[in-house]
Amino acid sequence: DAGVTQSPTHLIKTRGQQVTLRCSPKSGHDTVSWYQQALGQGPQFIFQYYEEEERQRGNFPDRFSGHQFPNYSSELNVNALLLGDSALYLCASSLRGYSNQPQHFGDGTRLSIL
Amino acid sequence: DQQVKQNSPSLSVQEGRISILNCDYTNSMFDYFLWYKKYPAEGPTFLISISSIKDKNEDGRFTVFLNKSAKHLSLHIVPSQPGDSAVYFCAASAGGNQGGKLIFGQGTELSVKP
């Protein structure tokens, strides 16, 4: 039973560039959420996708955007990268995002901005 | 505005003894609470959850207690094992159209010494 998979595992970019991170949900899950985890902090909610639409959004600027595909996989795009975007980006999947069910996380993408 | 707080950044416990990790929250709309464990270079792993209609939930060595009047939850690990050494995050979500958006605490690093 494949869990949540994320790619790439590490990425180095420079300020002003754009980045795309990818996530495949756990088998049987249809909802994908993205989180940003800064060093020494808990994960912060970016947004959630269900039925190929953004259903909820956290307090992140429009530079952060996403997409969900018909096979439930998802992408996170960040434009005009800033030094402060350096963080671990986590993808989590669940079944039907509105219900109280645990989200299962991938191992994340470590993004470093130079 | 930190809606979920873990006030102890670290905890050290002897193997075989009880570990108690604490978490406080401020939002009375939260109705679902979770604990995750995180090892370095891995994503958070779901441990146990509790709905606001309950005050206790057990799963093997792990028990979560919820005190709604105090807006406090705790995770008890009995007996503690060296493999339990990790960072523990509590998380909460509200129902309705906020369902699925997890708000995390800052984490508590547990060290279980042999």
Side-chain angles (χ1 to χ4, degrees), chain B residues 3-102:
Chain B
Q3 296 186 67
V4 178
K5 291 184 181 179
Q6 295 175 255
N7 291 317
S8 298
S10 63
L11 175 68
S12 184
V13 170
Q14 207 68 31
E15 181 180 5
R17 305 294 291 268
I18 184 172
S19 295
I20 300 176
L21 297 102
N22 294 303
C23 180
D24 297 298
Y25 63 95
T26 58
N27 189 342
S28 58
M29 298 301 293
F30 288 148
D31 63 356
Y32 184 57
F33 304 87
L34 310 90
W35 284 95
Y36 285 86
K37 176 172 72 174
K38 188 178 185 303
Y39 294 119
E42 293 184 13
T45 300
F46 169 70
L47 274 177
I48 191 169
S49 63
I50 187 167
S51 166
S52 61
I53 62 172
K54 295 186 174 182
D55 54 19
K56 178 182 173 181
N57 189 27
E58 280 184 83
D59 185 0
R61 297 187 297 115
F62 302 92
T63 303
V64 56
F65 295 91
L66 176 62
N67 182 334
K68 290 187 290 293
S69 61
K71 293 190 175 66
H72 177 84
L73 68 156
S74 61
L75 174 68
H76 292 208
I77 306 173
V78 183
S80 301
Q81 300 172 354
D84 295 330
S85 297
V87 178
Y88 288 77
F89 292 96
C90 67
S93 71
N97 63 5
Q98 293 296 310
K101 173 183 177 180
L102 294 181

Side-chain angles (χ1 to χ4, degrees), chain A:
Chain A
D1 181 17
V4 179
T5 57
Q6 293 187 241
S7 63
T9 54
H10 294 87
L11 205 48
I12 299 174
K13 291 285 188 179
T14 57
R15 281 180 297 173
Q17 285 190 310
Q18 178 263 344
V19 69
T20 298
L21 311 181
R22 294 176 176 83
C23 171
S24 292
K26 181 180 166 71
S27 178
H29 284 181
D30 57 9
T31 301
V32 172
S33 302
W34 287 91
Y35 293 82
Q36 180 195 67
Q37 185 178 17
L39 206 58
Q41 301 294 318
Q44 280 200 295
F45 178 80
I46 303 174
F47 43 52
Q48 181 181 83
Y49 277 84
Y50 172 60
E51 292 185 330
E52 302 179 48
E53 289 189 15
E54 183 182 295
R55 298 292 176 169
Q56 294 187 69
R57 190 178 184 91
N59 190 24
F60 279 81
D62 291 345
R63 298 187 298 109
F64 290 77
S65 63
H67 189 77
Q68 185 179 35
F69 299 94
N71 67 352
Y72 308 121
S73 67
S74 176
E75 288 182 350
L76 164 65
N77 301 294
V78 187
N79 294 324
L81 286 166
L82 303 174
L83 293 178
D85 296 332
S86 294
L88 179 67
Y89 288 84
L90 294 162
C91 169
S93 73
S94 57
L95 187 59
R96 300 188 205 278
Y98 285 82
S99 60
N100 284 342
Q101 295 205 11
Q103 295 180 17
H104 296 265
F105 285 81
D107 288 339
T109 294
R110 172 72 61 187
L111 177 62
S112 299
I113 311 300
L114 304 180

